[in-house]
């Protein structure tokens, strides 16, 4: 394994493996021929393994790095996990011995089965050292599979002992002690499984359990012609979503490997290449690490010109930041239901508006989990663009976005009125908001002797108003149109959408309001930068206003007001900064009071004060 071992850790790990193996050798000898001297020999070794484990932990300071975003920190974390696992095995050996000592009828001990299990454990201890030393995935996999083998041994013994208990064929106390022994064997298998996963994580550079690795291996084997294996891949953590999905970049350790060409004719040819969340924001982003002051959410090959990437013959804008790691693909895994929603969302976009959604290369289901392999595209998320790039490039990106939205909405338009139900959505999420910000709950506040209505009361009134404010037509919307779910490729002057599991035919105002508030909620300390970003949000809203006017959408301002109120309020559940969250919550309340004070009989006269909302 091409990793720098911290000073003395290699020797200490060797001593630790030798110590724990010796302890299991003594336990094995005791099972075969129980003697007090052998039991004492094992019991007196208490503390030896723990001391060696602590030495390894102290030599791995980067293992305590919460982010563990680089390979060295991940390797040190794996070292600590292996050392801790070996120390845990030492505890289990003593615990197993203490139960055996209490058994009066030694004939009840099935020494053949128990010795077989202990031999499995000793092989696992040896593999843990060898696999970590050599970076051997095959040994790590054998180590991880020890979990199931020892679990089967344990379950078989538990069934036999339980049957004896029911038939009262032996002293219940002796059988109970032996049941505890069987349980300890199962826990030994669990620890060995964790050791195998730690070695896999150290080898691939990212935290992976056995199930995730199995999915990754399956998908990588489908990626190309078999010349790339999972062991020749580097796995970089890019993001983790609030729903529990994890997103990783898959890169080859082989020089000049380009899986993009290998997979160009795979998958759904209706769409173009796919991507997902990236380090710092979303996968497929080209720019490097998470930006200071930026809070990303819960959270690509060249795209040919398509309906989803209108450019109007613009020229690329000078030197562009397109020097991302050359990922072969994006690996996303999580709960089967969530991953399936993502897959279906992408496929629907391919059918409805080809060219704007990512392309899924492969899909794998394993138990309750599932994984997708998604093609990686160059470019950057709008969040990265807003925080790191020039005003000129941001204005260009916004213009391309607006043109793309016009094209999508015009193409997918259905002349059937729809209601977004912003107030229903707000009520549904209000308890989550109060969980994070209990100070937002109404506590009988009054102003100049006049009691102020609670937010819930304002929402109920606005919900009644909303029922009469249908959008005159439906379009196919993104459904989660935050700035970190939109990719801009400056070289191609194109826009792509990612994270599409909430897409549906709905009121376009839903995407407009979410997009505008996703600008406002960026946590930034640079006042000038924040002012520039809010100006871009305001500019986007004004352009959407013009689109609504062109479509003769007379209730646009009302629906936008309710959509903004919903997004400002619900987004506070992701914001721990009390000042920013308070400003957002107050804006939601202001908007509701403003819209409820307007004359619903004259809808064309209402205008939401965007200029007052998108300024600090």
């Amino acid at each position: 394994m091409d990793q720098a071992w911290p000073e003395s850790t290699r020797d200490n790990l060797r001593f630790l493996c030798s110590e724990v193996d010796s302890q299991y050798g003594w336990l094995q000898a005791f099972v075969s021929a129980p003697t007090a001297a052998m039991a004492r020999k094992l019991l007196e070794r208490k503390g030896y393994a723990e001391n060696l484990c602590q030495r390894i932990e102290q030599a791995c300071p980067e293992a305590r790095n919460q982010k563990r975003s680089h390979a060295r920190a991940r390797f040190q974390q794996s070292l600590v996990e292996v050392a801790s696992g070996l120390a845990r095995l030492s505890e289990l050996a003593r615990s197993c011995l203490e139960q055996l000592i209490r058994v009066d009828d030694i004939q009840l001990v099935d020494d053949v089965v128990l010795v077989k299990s202990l031999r499995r454990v000793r092989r696992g201890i040896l593999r843990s050292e060898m696999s970590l030393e050599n970076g051997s995935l095959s040994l790590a996999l054998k180590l991880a599979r020890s979990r199931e083998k020892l679990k089967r041994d344990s379950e078989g013994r538990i069934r036999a002992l339980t049957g004896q208990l029911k038939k009262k064929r032996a002293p219940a106390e002796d059988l109970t002690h032996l049941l505890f022994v069987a349980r300890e064997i199962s826990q030994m298998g669990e620890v060995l499984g964790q050791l195998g996963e730690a070695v896999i994580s150290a080898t691939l550079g990212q935290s992976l359990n056995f199930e995730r690795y199995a999915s990754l291996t399956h998908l990588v084997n489908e990626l190309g012609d078999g010349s790339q294996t999972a062991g020749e891949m580097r796995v970089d953590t890019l993001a983790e979503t609030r729903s529990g999905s994890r997103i990783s970049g898959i890169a080859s350790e082989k020089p000049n490997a380009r899986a993009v060409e290998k997979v160009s004719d795979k998958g759904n040819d209706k769409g173009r290449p796919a991507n997902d969340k990236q380090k710092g924001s979303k996968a497929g982003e080209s720019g490097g690490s998470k930006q200071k002051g930026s809070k990303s959410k819960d959270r690509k090959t060249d795209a040919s010109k398509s309906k989803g990437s209108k450019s109007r013959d613009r020229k690329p804008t000078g030197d562009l930041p397109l020097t991302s790691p050359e990922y072969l693909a994006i690996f996303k895994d999580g709960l089967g239901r969530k991953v399936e929603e993502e897959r279906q969302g992408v496929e629907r976009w391919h059918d409805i508006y080809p060219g704007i959604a990512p392309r899924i290369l492969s899909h794998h289901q394993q138990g309750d989990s599932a994984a997708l392999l998604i093609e990686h595209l160059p470019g950057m998320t709008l969040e990265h663009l807003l925080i790191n790039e020039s005003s000129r490039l941001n204005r260009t990106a916004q213009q391309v976005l607006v043109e793309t939205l016009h094209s999508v909405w015009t193409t997918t338009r259905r002349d059937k009125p729809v209601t977004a139900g912003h107030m229903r959505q707000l009520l549904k999420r209000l308890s989550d908001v109060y969980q994070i910000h209990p100070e937002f709950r109404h506590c009988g506040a009054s102003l100049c002797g006049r009691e102020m209505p609670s937010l819930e009361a304002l929402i109920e009134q606005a919900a009644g108003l909303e029922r009469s404010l249908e959008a005159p037509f439906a379009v196919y919307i993104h459904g989660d149109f935050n700035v970190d779910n939109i990719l801009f490729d400056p070289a191609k002057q194109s826009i792509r959408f990612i994270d599409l599991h909430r897409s549906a035919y709905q009121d376009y105002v839903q995407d407009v309001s979410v997009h505008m508030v996703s600008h406002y909620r960026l946590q930034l300390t640079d006042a000038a930068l924040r002012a520039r970003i809010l100006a871009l949000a305001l500019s986007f809203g004004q352009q959407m206003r013009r689109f609504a006017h062109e479509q003769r959408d007379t209730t646009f301002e009302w629906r936008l007001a309710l959509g903004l109120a919903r997004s400002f309020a619900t987004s506070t559940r992701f914001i721990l900064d009390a000042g920013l969250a308070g400003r957002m919550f107050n804006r939601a309340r202001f908007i509701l009071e403003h819209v409820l004070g307007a004359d619903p009989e004259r809808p064309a006269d209402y205008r939401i004060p965007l200029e007052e909302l998108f300024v600090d």
Side-chain angles (χ1 to χ4, degrees):
M1 182 176 295
D2 295 329
Q3 289 291 346
W5 287 64
E7 186 178 359
S8 76
T9 53
R10 182 181 264 112
D11 288 343
N12 281 326
L13 181 65
R14 188 162 295 150
F15 291 143
L16 179 55
C17 288
S18 177
E19 172 65 29
V20 178
D21 180 63
S22 295
Q23 292 180 16
Y24 274 84
W26 297 326
L27 178 58
Q28 186 177 322
F30 179 86
V31 170
S32 299
T35 65
M38 190 61 69
R40 187 166 55 252
K41 200 170 187 179
L42 174 53
L43 294 174
E44 287 176 351
R45 302 300 289 184
K46 181 179 181 181
Y48 280 68
E50 288 83 349
N51 290 339
L52 287 166
C53 176
Q54 287 177 11
R55 290 179 193 174
I56 292 172
E57 288 177 353
Q58 290 166 2
C60 297
E62 294 194 40
R64 293 185 285 276
N65 181 352
Q66 293 279 329
K67 294 181 181 178
R68 299 195 291 274
S69 56
H70 54 85
R72 184 173 57 191
R74 179 63 255 176
F75 179 70
Q76 290 192 17
Q77 175 66 16
S78 295
L79 268 176
V80 170
E81 288 172 359
V82 169
S84 299
L86 290 168
R88 174 62 178 152
L89 285 176
S90 174
E91 292 176 9
L92 290 169
R94 290 193 304 277
S95 178
C96 188
L97 176 64
E98 288 166 356
Q99 295 296 333
L100 289 170
I101 290 171
R102 293 182 173 90
V103 177
D104 293 326
D105 186 357
I106 201 66
Q107 299 301 319
L108 292 173
V109 178
D110 190 339
D111 58 317
V112 174
V113 172
L114 188 50
V115 166
K116 178 183 174 184
S117 297
L118 294 175
R119 283 175 178 162
R120 289 193 200 279
V121 177
R122 296 185 70 184
R123 283 197 296 272
I125 293 168
L126 177 63
R127 285 168 178 162
S128 66
E129 179 189 1
M130 292 177 60
S131 58
L132 196 56
E133 176 75 32
N134 303 323
S136 170
L137 280 173
S138 61
L139 283 176
L141 287 171
K142 289 178 180 178
L143 183 56
R145 292 188 183 109
S146 300
R147 175 191 282 135
E148 290 304 315
K149 292 179 179 178
L150 285 166
K151 184 180 178 181
R152 285 197 299 270
D153 291 349
S154 173
E155 288 176 346
R157 191 67 186 132
I158 287 172
R159 283 194 299 271
L161 291 168
T162 304
Q164 288 181 279
L165 266 175
K166 290 178 179 178
K167 295 176 181 178
K168 299 180 181 180
R169 290 182 175 175
E173 188 173 347
D174 283 356
L175 293 174
T176 301
H177 290 309
L178 291 173
L179 281 169
F180 277 112
V181 170
R183 176 179 173 274
E184 305 294 7
I185 294 297
S186 178
Q187 291 198 15
M188 292 171 191
E190 187 63 34
V191 172
L192 290 177
Q194 292 167 1
L195 293 181
E197 290 168 355
V199 176
I200 290 170
S201 299
T203 305
L204 295 180
Q206 186 202 131
S207 179
L208 286 172
N209 61 26
F210 182 69
E211 196 172 59
R212 289 190 73 202
Y213 179 75
S215 293
L216 174 62
T217 303
H218 178 89
L219 294 175
V220 167
N221 288 339
E222 292 188 356
L223 181 61
D225 57 6
S227 63
Q228 296 286 324
T229 67
E232 295 167 334
M233 299 292 178
R234 188 182 79 251
V235 184
D236 296 337
T237 301
L238 303 181
E240 293 185 358
T241 69
R242 284 187 295 272
S243 63
S245 294
R246 289 148 298 193
I247 300 97
S248 310
I250 308 300
S252 175
E253 296 290 7
K254 288 185 176 181
N256 302 321
R258 295 187 63 87
V260 169
E261 286 85 4
K262 294 180 186 178
V263 298
S264 60
D265 60 347
K266 285 197 169 194
N268 186 345
D269 290 329
K270 294 180 183 177
R272 293 296 304 161
N275 58 297
D276 213 304
K277 299 185 169 88
Q278 172 85 308
K279 184 184 291 184
S281 34
K282 301 277 179 161
E285 178 188 343
S286 218
S289 61
K290 188 169 184 176
Q291 300 303 318
K292 199 171 189 178
S294 164
K295 185 178 180 92
S296 291
K297 274 183 51 181
D298 329 21
R299 32 282 189 208
K300 297 177 179 187
T301 63
D302 289 343
S304 64
K305 191 170 181 181
S306 66
K307 290 194 288 184
S309 53
K310 287 182 76 174
S311 65
R312 293 191 179 178
D313 300 320
R314 285 194 189 86
K315 294 180 180 179
T317 325
D319 295 331
L320 301 171
L322 296 177
T323 55
S324 66
E326 190 171 304
Y327 292 124
L328 306 180
I330 300 300
F331 175 65
K332 180 172 183 177
D333 72 310
L335 290 173
R337 179 176 58 83
K338 293 288 184 181
V339 173
E340 180 61 18
E341 287 175 359
E342 174 83 4
R343 188 185 70 81
Q344 290 180 2
V346 169
E347 297 300 337
R348 282 194 297 268
W349 273 101
H350 291 328
D351 292 336
I352 294 169
Y353 194 90
I356 201 159
R359 188 174 63 150
I360 293 171
L361 304 175
S362 188
H363 172 247
H364 178 61
Q365 184 88 27
Q366 181 159 330
D368 295 332
S369 300
L372 299 174
L373 201 63
I374 308 168
E375 198 167 359
H376 177 264
L377 299 172
M380 62 190 81
T381 64
L382 292 194
E383 179 180 17
H384 172 92
L385 196 71
L386 288 168
I387 297 170
N388 298 284
E389 306 302 333
S390 68
S391 297
R392 178 171 173 240
L393 190 57
N394 272 281
R395 288 193 298 270
T396 299
Q398 186 174 96
Q399 189 56 39
V400 176
L401 173 63
V402 169
E403 292 172 2
T404 300
L405 289 175
H406 284 203
S407 175
V408 172
W409 293 344
T410 301
T411 302
T412 65
R413 174 169 172 158
R414 288 179 175 179
D415 290 320
K416 179 180 179 181
V418 290
T419 303
H422 297 299
M423 295 300 97
R424 183 186 69 252
Q425 296 174 41
L426 176 50
L427 273 176
K428 182 179 178 181
R429 293 178 173 86
L430 208 51
S431 61
D432 294 333
V433 170
Y434 292 152
Q435 184 73 26
I436 302 298
H437 298 286
E439 68 275 15
F440 290 165
R441 287 187 185 274
H442 180 68
C443 299
S446 62
L447 183 62
C448 299
R450 180 180 177 184
E451 185 175 351
M452 297 174 64
S454 67
L455 182 66
E456 288 86 346
L458 293 174
I459 294 171
E460 290 292 347
Q461 293 180 57
L465 173 65
E466 187 176 29
R467 284 190 282 271
S468 64
L469 297 173
E470 290 183 325
F473 55 87
V475 300
Y476 203 64
I477 68 169
H478 182 288
D480 192 14
F481 209 48
N482 291 290
V483 289
D484 60 346
N485 282 333
I486 305 164
L487 267 174
F488 176 62
D489 181 357
K492 293 287 185 179
Q493 297 283 282
S494 65
I495 288 287
R496 308 297 294 274
F497 296 166
I498 58 178
D499 208 357
L500 297 163
H501 62 283
R502 295 180 182 171
S503 297
Y505 276 99
Q506 190 48 267
D507 183 357
Y508 66 98
V509 164
Q510 171 110 352
D511 275 358
V512 173
S513 59
V514 168
H515 187 68
M516 293 179 72
V517 172
S518 71
H519 286 69
Y520 191 94
R521 81 182 198 187
L522 291 175
Q523 299 182 69
L524 305 167
T525 56
D526 186 325
L529 175 60
R530 183 164 177 80
R532 189 189 81 179
I533 291 173
L534 295 184
L536 283 166
L538 177 59
S539 170
F540 179 79
Q542 290 168 339
Q543 293 186 75
M544 295 300 98
R545 192 175 257 161
R546 286 194 287 275
F547 173 81
H549 179 73
E550 292 168 2
Q551 305 300 316
R552 299 181 182 179
D553 184 355
T554 57
T555 61
F556 169 80
E557 298 281 342
W558 297 75
R559 303 193 324 275
L560 179 59
L562 297 178
L564 288 173
R566 173 258 185 200
S567 292
F568 271 122
T570 59
S571 293
T572 61
R573 72 193 195 276
F574 307 129
I575 307 295
L576 296 180
D577 182 327
L580 178 59
R583 293 194 298 275
M584 293 171 65
F585 193 79
N586 288 337
R587 276 166 169 73
R589 185 182 180 92
F590 166 79
I591 293 170
L592 290 178
E593 291 175 345
H594 189 272
V595 77
L596 290 171
D599 184 358
E601 300 299 323
R602 304 176 63 183
D605 293 345
Y606 179 71
R607 192 176 179 89
I608 183 171
L610 294 177
E611 295 79 2
E612 297 177 29
L613 294 170
F614 288 89
V615 65
D616 280 338

